[in-house]
Amino acid sequence: MKISSRQILPAMVLLFGACAPLLINAYELSLLGRFLALSILAMGIMLIWGEGGILSLGQGVFFGLGAYALALHLKLEGLNIANGDMPDFMVWSGVSALPAFWYPFASPWFSLACIVLIPGSVAAAFSWLVFRRRIGGVYFALITQALALAFSTLLISQQAYTGGFNGLTDYSTFDGYDITSNFAARVIYWITFVLVTICYFALRWLLATRWGIMLRATRDGENRVRFLGHNPLPYKVGAFTIAGVLAGIGGALFTLHAGVVSPALVGVVPSIEMVVWVALGGRNVLWGAIAGTLLVNFAKDQISSALPSLWLYGLGALFILAVSFLPAGIAGLFRPGSPEERVVRRMLTRRKLETAE
Amino acid sequence: MQESAFLLGQVFNGVSVASLFVLAALGLALSFGLMRVINMAHGEMLMLGGYLAYMTLAVVPGPLGLLVALPVAFLGAALLGAVLEFTIIHRLSARPLDTLLATWGVSLILQQAARNLFGAIGVQVIAPGWLDHTVAISSGVLGGLTLPDTRIFILLVAAIVLGAIALLLNRTRLGLYVRAVNQDRPVAAAMGVNARLVDLLVFSLGTGVAGLAGVILALLGPVTPTVGQSYIVPAFLVVILGGLGSLVGTTIASLIVGLFTALIEIFVDVSLAQVLLLVFVIVFIQFRPQGVITVRTRALEG
């Protein structure tokens, strides 16, 4: 089999991803792991926003649902519930008995199923209710933002049941396995890496199917799709549900890496930040979503700890510049024929001419 | 306190919150009707109004400072709005979702600028003496009902602004242009209406009104860099409920949101009230997806 040059770069990226635990130190690995977890969510945003034309400013909600579904279990791990044991924060809040909705999460399998089922069903129900009345575009974005606000304030206010503003933290084991050791960190990284790869190829396949074509058709001309006798609703609700599930999986993995989930990760501001990762990376290209997530988050890690106020100015400028001048994102720079690519090529050829002279 | 007085007090609170919402949402709704874009930095116009009031009162102390602060805040916010429209929103107006993101970037920058200039804790504007009273009813069916002067002042400002805008829209040449562009931009432009200028004027008028709302906010609590954020999400919901660029719709929707919040807070806490408000909006659009007032148009894609 002949290997073309177009296949070398992706193969090298995959190889680096798989070997990263052996190449970089534990701190860098933990950052890479959590940013890869976020990139699963970003691929979901690429699906709904880039391919479906649906802007959601509330992906943090589904991220949070997945994260809390796992965190609830991690908090119960090692406690003897039958004996009346409760997570530490409940004892501090003076709760007398474990709330009923916590009980099923004692089972790791129930909790794992919920990571997918809760965000998926909430996303399906919510988007069906809104899309069935043909509400989309800016209206949908604003409603999802209200959803993110309501979700995060609810989490904060129900201190006794959700850990409030501090969220849920301080985990030790999952199903009896220690999750705090260095070895566990590598295993969690590999799980994340494999899931990112699976999601990437699954979405690539999905977008190439008839379903993917219909989703793009709905984005470009919803009424035309209707006139041709198709109902756009299943495509929009389906895409939004998949994006919700991806956000939930990303949230659960992020919680494992970071060892914490809190309302500060799921509210209005983080939800809209998620969109800028994809805007910068490229909303129509899957690898763009991943690259944008890694790029923005590593930059944030570097800048925000040293100069927090500079980071916020930078983030604001990034929003403005990315959508004004780089609508196809970084990935657009590499796509033949895109306006960005043409600008770059013109710059390059001009330079060549100058050097030739 | 008697129950009827308490209930009436909540209704009064709801109406006064509603009048804030209407001032905050008016600019959003008018520009949305014209250009189909939402300015996510609109909340920061409230913030700007609040800080301008604070600075004006530092320069002009005394009882009349507030009356100076109102036009200052209006002009300041309108100017910033005009700059924003000219530099960013107009360039992106063909892509409404991208405008949302770009203006969110503006909002982040403005918040951080306020944080650096005035500090994160916020500043306090003290209401002048003539607003420092409460109208209290001590006897009768409504015994125990108290109406703070600041809240009555809010109502007055909102009523005056609404009246002025209604006059502007329905009785002036500019208003005629606004309604024409609202109904059909290409035809209005073909008839010689400078649609570009109408966009700019309406947008900066809307941000100016938000600046006024900011002055009023400053009377109710400290002005912080994120003060606009707490009012802007309900204002967005008002725009959704109100219908495309309709003054009457926006006013009714503000009253619905304000009264709903105030009355539901009798039974549940503030955070749950927020959740229920969202549920209410989602249920409401099941029945009236185009808002309380539907502007009839022949366009298929609005």
Side-chain angles (χ1 to χ4, degrees), chain A residues 49 53-59 126 130-131 135-149 240 268 271-272 275, chain B residues 32 38 40 96-98 100-101 233 236-237 240 278:
Chain A
W49 184 39
I54 303 161
L55 179 60
S56 165
L57 302 180
Q59 287 309 96
F126 172 79
V130 180
F131 289 140
I135 286 177
V138 173
Y139 277 3
F140 186 77
L142 296 181
I143 294 179
T144 50
Q145 185 175 53
L147 184 70
L149 180 69
F240 196 77
V268 170
S271 294
I272 198 164
V275 178
Chain B
F32 188 67
I38 285 285
M40 297 289 264
L97 296 182
D98 284 1
L100 226 62
L101 296 175
V233 173
F236 289 151
L237 295 180
I240 293 172
L278 180 65

Side-chain angles (χ1 to χ4, degrees), chain B residues 45-91:
Chain B
M45 302 298 158
L46 282 109
M47 174 198 84
L48 178 71
Y51 281 116
L52 284 175
Y54 168 74
M55 289 192 290
T56 314
L57 285 173
V59 178
V60 192
L64 294 180
L66 189 64
L67 296 183
V68 181
L70 285 172
V72 168
F74 178 84
L75 290 177
L79 188 68
L80 183 62
V83 171
L84 194 60
E85 206 275 350
F86 198 75
T87 52
I88 294 176
I89 292 169
H90 165 233
R91 292 170 45 93

Side-chain angles (χ1 to χ4, degrees), chain A residues 290-331:
Chain A
I290 304 175
T293 309
L294 296 182
L295 198 67
V296 176
N297 281 293
F298 273 112
K300 179 179 183 174
D301 179 67
Q302 291 295 312
I303 302 170
S304 67
S305 50
L307 298 155
S309 97
L310 183 70
W311 167 248
L312 283 165
Y313 285 123
L315 186 65
L318 192 61
F319 268 104
I320 301 169
L321 298 177
V323 298
S324 303
F325 301 109
L326 217 58
I330 293 172

Side-chain angles (χ1 to χ4, degrees), chain A residues 129 132-133 153 157 309 312, chain B residues 112 116 271 274 286 301:
Chain A
L129 278 173
R132 70 186 277 265
R133 296 314 310 234
T153 40
S157 71
S309 97
L312 283 165
Chain B
Q112 188 55 35
N116 288 357
S271 60
Q274 221 158 27
Q286 301 301 310
E301 278 158 355

